[in-house]
Amino acid sequence: MEAAGIGRVLFWEGGSLWLALITGTMGWHEHHAIQLCLPIQGTAQFKTDPEGDWITCEGAVIAPDVPHVFHAPGSVAANILFEPESAVGRGVLARFGRSGLHLLPASEARALARPIGRAYFAGTDDASMIALAKQAVTSFSGVDAQRDVADVRVLRTISEIRAHLDEPVTLPALARKIGLSPGRLRHLFVAETGVSFRRYLLWERLNRALSIGFGGTSWTEAAYAANFADSAHLSRTCQRMFGLAPTRARIESPQSHAALTA
């Protein structure tokens, strides 16, 4: 299968960085996260309307749950995904709203992308790349990333979800643990996060499985570790939420990239 990108995929709690030389198109998909696209070299292209033209940009932010397709052949691009219910996520939503694709001024996009690009081409380690991605999002949102903003009961629900991704997780069981009725927790969860409990749980399972799989574990083991039925189920979910199967992302080490670009 042809690779759609060659680079690095890094995860942290509540976010991920997809940084690669783009070699293919990420098909139609939609995900729970806000997406900040920062081309490092070249430009990126998006569609949010199947009948519309490609929109070329030097930077863009895509709101949660917006169907889109991404294309940037020959460009190196950083795509940072982060959760809307986080402090930085709410800051971005306050600025741009919950719908559509928004183009960034070229000067702002370049300023955000520059430190990430320099570190990438220098072969910087994963922890430092994650720190730079978080800094970019914090700067972009204008919000203190450490500030508590969500209902404590929802925060506890999210914590419980993340602690039990390798086993069945149900809304009624979590509601009993939180001290709410299932109906009340369902309503509160949607009000605070903008997404259903079930969809959020699937999003967290997918990120956990991808983090494990891209870390070198077999995709079958990664699927089971996040309570997917099998690797095929994981691949279908990834295709639907990211626009590509996980095997289409070719992962390189920081050292190999630095050697190639030296």
Side-chain angles (χ1 to χ4, degrees):
M1 182 178 292
E2 179 186 1
I6 304 170
R8 296 162 72 180
V9 183
L10 306 175
F11 292 84
W12 59 92
E13 189 173 281
S16 59
L17 169 65
W18 300 67
L19 180 52
L21 169 65
I22 308 301
T23 58
T25 298
M26 284 63 171
W28 284 100
H29 62 286
E30 58 183 282
H31 42 65
H32 169 62
I34 299 169
Q35 179 176 343
L36 174 60
C37 176
L38 300 172
I40 305 299
Q41 291 181 336
T43 58
Q45 294 181 310
F46 289 91
K47 278 187 181 184
T48 57
D49 179 356
E51 304 301 321
D53 295 327
W54 285 100
I55 301 169
T56 302
C57 65
E58 294 195 44
V61 59
I62 299 93
D65 304 305
V66 173
H68 61 281
V69 61
F70 171 68
H71 186 60
S75 297
V76 176
N79 282 286
I80 308 173
L81 279 67
F82 51 100
E83 295 178 348
E85 65 274 9
S86 64
V88 290
R90 292 191 177 210
V92 172
L93 293 180
R95 179 180 173 186
F96 294 100
R98 282 189 167 270
S99 62
L101 165 74
H102 305 272
L103 304 186
L104 302 182
S107 58
E108 181 180 16
R110 290 169 189 161
L112 292 169
R114 194 174 296 117
I116 297 174
R118 286 174 179 165
Y120 176 59
F121 289 118
T124 301
D125 64 273
D126 289 353
S128 297
M129 293 302 305
I130 288 173
L132 286 170
K134 288 182 175 180
Q135 288 171 15
V137 170
T138 299
S139 174
F140 177 67
S141 71
V143 172
D144 180 358
Q146 300 304 315
R147 181 167 57 86
D148 289 335
V149 295
D151 187 292
V152 66
R153 294 164 295 183
V154 174
L155 290 175
R156 187 179 170 196
T157 300
I158 290 172
S159 179
E160 289 288 339
I161 288 171
R162 288 173 173 163
H164 300 284
L165 288 174
D166 60 340
E167 58 190 78
V169 176
T170 68
L171 181 65
L174 274 183
R176 286 194 299 271
K177 189 173 289 190
I178 301 301
L180 296 173
S181 70
R184 175 59 180 150
L185 180 57
R186 180 183 294 108
H187 175 79
L188 184 63
F189 197 89
V190 172
E192 285 289 320
T193 68
V195 69
S196 70
F197 172 86
R198 182 177 180 181
R199 185 169 175 80
Y200 183 88
L201 175 60
L202 184 59
W203 171 252
E204 287 291 333
R205 290 197 193 285
L206 176 60
N207 277 278
R208 175 69 59 82
L210 293 179
S211 178
I212 293 170
F214 285 135
T217 301
S218 75
W219 287 112
T220 296
E221 291 180 79
Y224 292 151
N227 203 45
F228 283 94
D230 50 33
S231 61
H233 183 201
L234 169 60
S235 184
R236 290 194 301 272
T237 304
C238 187
Q239 180 74 46
R240 187 169 71 252
M241 290 194 172
F242 285 114
L244 77 165
T247 51
R248 290 191 66 203
R250 187 184 304 165
I251 303 303
E252 62 183 12
S253 69
Q255 295 76 15
S256 67
H257 183 81
L260 287 172
T261 56

